[in-house]
Amino acid sequence: MTGAAGARTQGLTQQEAEDGFYNDTSEFLAELSGGSLHMGYWESPDDPATMSEASERLTGLMAERLGVGPGQRVLDIGCGTGAPAIQLARTTGAAVVGITNSPVQARLATEKAREAGVADRVEFRCEDATRLGYPAGSFDAVWLFESIMAMPDRLAVLRLAADVLRPGGRLALTDFLDRKEPAVGAEQGDQPQYSVLFGKLMPLPDYPGLLEAAGLVPVEIADVSDRTVARTLAAMRRRLEDDREALTRRFGAQVVGQFDGIVRRLEAAGFGYGLVVAHRPGR
């Protein structure tokens, strides 16, 4: 999950802030978000799923959208600490290459794949998503699981993803959405404080044009905010409250205190959450 890093990011470029944030807090984020660095998904307001269960469910929904199986290859752009890629490989039999710009995340993910017994078909690399070096058509599917909002240019990354997809291959992503009307008196291009590491949030209705500009055909564009955002943030806040002493011993008071503020700001932000699926035309 992406979040603001507070005053520590001032004076840094977005990329520098993002790199430092994830290097410093990857393990803590995974602890708060059920093992994966992304939202959970609850079927209804009274769904009793835990954060971990809801997080695995969202990974499962994304895997269903890709429709891959044994012998196929998936590129995971922005793989985090590896839990979604490992679940994808386990449940589908596909091979996964995960990339991240954080060496800490790449190391943690590689360790998890080895512990899970899938290191023979899941690998993680520290690479720049804006400079993919893979041959055209070399993957059957690509996903950007809660990572595209941290990219400096969504269109550029989607074009690169489309290029490495085989004809007919699928792309799935989740993105944080701008659901608010512009504030009165706000200047064009103004961004709220919580978006320091989000980049520029975009409205979901802009996605069809973005996908088409990248050479992709939209398949599904869904706003799933009501099943993801509020309960994920509430689960994180409860974990911070209930396990504060243990979390502080493990990660330090500074990190725990930082995330108190992050969760409060995110709860007040009013952003949405979208699930997007597309395919590369041709066969």
Side-chain angles (χ1 to χ4, degrees), residues 251-265:
F251 299 101
Q254 182 177 1
V255 170
V256 175
Q258 178 186 31
F259 273 86
D260 278 330
I262 287 173
V263 172
R264 285 196 299 270
R265 288 195 297 273

Side-chain angles (χ1 to χ4, degrees), residues 37-73:
L37 304 183
H38 64 70
M39 295 276 174
Y41 184 96
W42 287 265
E43 298 286 357
S44 66
D46 57 356
D47 183 343
T50 64
M51 180 65 214
S52 180
E53 292 166 342
S55 177
E56 290 182 3
R57 179 184 290 155
L58 183 55
T59 299
L61 292 174
M62 288 279 283
E64 289 174 6
R65 267 60 176 185
L66 291 185
V68 293
Q72 294 186 299
R73 298 181 74 226

Side-chain angles (χ1 to χ4, degrees), residues 23-196:
N23 284 337
D24 291 347
T25 61
S26 291
E27 290 183 274
F28 186 73
L29 272 169
E31 193 74 24
L32 284 187
S33 53
S36 300
L37 304 183
H38 64 70
M39 295 276 174
Y41 184 96
W42 287 265
E43 298 286 357
S44 66
D46 57 356
D47 183 343
T50 64
M51 180 65 214
S52 180
E53 292 166 342
S55 177
E56 290 182 3
R57 179 184 290 155
L58 183 55
T59 299
L61 292 174
M62 288 279 283
E64 289 174 6
R65 267 60 176 185
L66 291 185
V68 293
Q72 294 186 299
R73 298 181 74 226
V74 180
L75 179 62
D76 179 353
I77 299 176
C79 61
T81 52
I86 291 168
Q87 182 177 333
L88 176 65
R90 276 178 161 174
T91 57
T92 68
V96 186
V97 176
I99 64 170
T100 171
N101 58 11
S102 165
V104 172
Q105 289 188 344
R107 174 180 57 79
L108 292 172
T110 298
E111 291 172 359
K112 286 184 178 182
R114 185 166 53 248
E115 292 168 359
V118 295
D120 59 326
R121 52 196 169 87
V122 182
E123 62 176 310
F124 298 99
R125 305 172 181 174
C126 187
E127 295 182 358
D128 186 349
T130 66
R131 296 179 177 87
L132 296 180
Y134 301 99
S138 55
F139 290 94
D140 299 285
V142 176
W143 73 13
L144 294 100
F145 208 152
E146 208 162 302
S147 61
I148 195 166
M149 71 285 292
M151 304 293 175
D153 185 336
R154 283 178 176 81
L155 178 57
V157 171
L158 287 174
R159 282 174 170 161
L160 290 171
D163 182 64
V164 300
L165 268 177
R166 65 165 175 78
R170 281 202 167 196
L171 175 142
L173 65 85
T174 58
D175 197 356
F176 290 0
L177 306 175
D178 182 357
R179 300 178 90 196
K180 288 187 172 181
E181 294 295 326
V184 176
E187 295 184 10
Q188 187 174 6
D190 281 356
Q191 285 290 294
Q193 183 181 4
Y194 69 81
S195 67
V196 169

